[in-house]
Amino acid sequence: TLIICYGMFHGGMIQILAGMWEVYRGNIFGGNAFTSYGGFWMGFALFEILMVISPLNPPAKDGKAVWLAVWGVFTLLNFIGTLNANRVVQFVFASLTTLFFMLAIGVHSHGMHVAAGYVGIICGSSAMYLGWAEVMNELAGRELLY
């Protein structure tokens, strides 16, 4: 329940708001990324809630694998967009791309699903570092960290 709540609000709603702020600042890439992944988390959380409170049948495993693979392709395209950015941004998108494809394979493989969990921890940690570094750089008025 905790993961679903944070997925919906911090992963979803807050990222969508951050995306809108990025567009306002003229950062279209950031706006695209934040709003897209915010929508992903909102949809994922709603799906998990509906699976518990409604009589819906769970989707076929192949459907879930394709859905995750499509997000992997979208993230790969975003990764290509980071090639002019700093290495931490590139690492976040490279690891997120890897994570989505591992999760897609993990739908049919428990071992891959577990390995994807570790990649997710690394990806999430690097994204948290990136966010913190950007705040520290903004406070300092110059680039200190990356």
Side-chain angles (χ1 to χ4, degrees):
T1 339
L2 179 66
I3 300 301
I4 298 304
C5 292
Y6 273 90
M8 181 168 275
F9 289 96
H10 189 78
M13 184 177 71
I14 298 302
Q15 282 198 60
I16 290 171
L17 291 171
M20 296 298 103
W21 292 321
E22 288 298 308
V23 169
Y24 176 77
R25 293 178 58 203
N27 181 359
I28 301 305
F29 178 83
N32 171 62
F34 280 117
T35 56
S36 295
Y37 296 112
F40 168 86
W41 280 109
M42 293 287 287
F44 178 77
L46 179 60
F47 171 78
E48 291 296 323
I49 291 167
L50 289 175
M51 288 294 100
V52 171
I53 66 169
S54 75
L56 295 174
N57 293 324
K61 284 187 173 188
D62 288 342
K64 187 173 185 181
V66 168
W67 175 68
L68 290 165
V70 166
W71 276 97
V73 170
F74 172 75
T75 305
L76 176 62
L77 295 172
N78 277 322
F79 167 72
I80 293 167
T82 69
L83 294 178
N84 290 326
N86 68 62
R87 298 289 183 249
V88 180
V89 173
Q90 292 174 8
F91 183 81
V92 168
F93 279 89
S95 61
L96 186 57
T97 300
T98 303
L99 175 60
F100 273 120
F101 286 120
M102 289 178 75
L103 287 170
I105 296 166
V107 167
H108 297 288
S109 167
H110 177 71
M112 183 62 78
H113 188 78
V114 171
Y118 290 106
V119 171
I121 291 168
I122 292 167
C123 177
S125 298
S126 65
M128 290 175 71
Y129 169 79
L130 176 61
W132 174 77
E134 289 184 355
V135 169
M136 293 300 107
N137 290 346
E138 180 78 20
L139 290 173
R142 61 189 173 95
E143 192 170 299
L144 295 173
L145 303 166
Y146 283 125

